[in-house]
Amino acid sequence: MRFARILALAAFAAGSVLVAPAASAAALPACQHFYQGTIPDRPVTGGHGPGTLVGAVNVGNRLPAPGSVAGGLGADGKVTFTFARVAGAKAYRAFRNGQALQWISDWGQPTLTVTDASPCQDANYQLYAMTAEDNSPGSLGQISTAYRLDGASRLAPYRIPAGTTLNYRVTSYNDVAQTALGYSAGSGFCAVDARIIPWGTRFSVPGYGECYAADIGSWIKDDIVDVWLPGSQADAWGIQRLTLTVR
């Protein structure tokens, strides 16, 4: 599925890590889903929601996301980018398509750098800051916007435009643990194929309410989203074909 894109060119300061690209971003291999096992076919069965719609998740009390992201595809075939430090942060994590890419401790270094030695086409790069290096749910900051390589092989902000509608199969889970992003799972959190829907994307789900993309799953691939519901409500949801609306 292809979406209209809003791309803003990142500004580059002197000493940028970007060098002349060895090949265009379009020449990179396609991004593969992280789970390579067999995914069973799950036909739409129908079901029903919790009755009371779930409200929007609030992450506003967390550390802000790192900004000033600048970099791109270099002559060495790697994607390298820098970002600004966040006041109060002790460490940072970088992700590519919802998969952990790099951990960076903040010891006061002037430049914070992330390197992806095996980039793929249209990958979503994202970051968050942490108040501690223990990766506890409460220490994790807000996830950044996604960054993708643009036509000039530079990283630029990317998001699915508000109002975009997606016709998806919607399943449900009830795991009580940390999401793949690291937040505690609960109402309003959803698992997505992060190659397509970047973490932090907000969208409404008919019969459920508001979703905040913060998780992934082995069977959550392509046009499937997994909403969180407690206990037996997850079973009662079934598998529904619904039109989601991006906020």
Side-chain angles (χ1 to χ4, degrees), residues 61-220:
N61 60 338
R62 297 178 180 271
L63 281 179
S68 300
V69 173
L73 179 64
D76 57 3
K78 301 176 182 179
V79 168
T80 304
F81 60 93
T82 59
F83 62 93
R85 297 171 66 193
V86 174
K90 302 298 184 183
Y92 309 85
R93 288 187 77 189
F95 297 86
R96 181 188 67 204
N97 294 336
Q99 295 291 292
L101 180 63
Q102 193 169 328
W103 178 295
I104 306 103
S105 294
D106 190 328
W107 43 264
Q109 61 270 49
T111 302
L112 298 156
T113 305
V114 176
T115 300
D116 180 9
S118 302
C120 54
Q121 195 172 135
D122 292 332
N124 292 313
Y125 294 98
Q126 296 185 266
L127 302 153
Y128 61 57
M130 297 179 284
T131 58
E133 295 197 68
D134 58 7
N135 205 37
S136 59
S139 75
L140 310 180
Q142 299 174 44
I143 193 71
S144 73
T145 187
Y147 293 87
R148 284 189 178 187
L149 292 173
D150 63 15
S153 296
R154 298 176 178 179
L155 283 179
Y158 167 81
R159 76 180 302 272
I160 302 172
T164 297
T165 56
L166 309 170
N167 187 248
Y168 268 39
R169 284 175 289 169
V170 184
T171 59
S172 184
Y173 70 120
N174 57 10
D175 298 347
V176 181
Q178 283 182 264
T179 67
L181 188 154
Y183 300 164
S184 296
S187 295
F189 288 107
C190 298
V192 298
D193 185 338
R195 299 173 304 166
I196 302 171
I197 301 178
W199 278 347
T201 301
R202 294 181 182 273
F203 53 92
S204 61
V205 180
Y208 178 81
E210 300 299 317
C211 258
Y212 182 83
D215 210 349
I216 56 176
S218 298
W219 292 1
I220 309 307

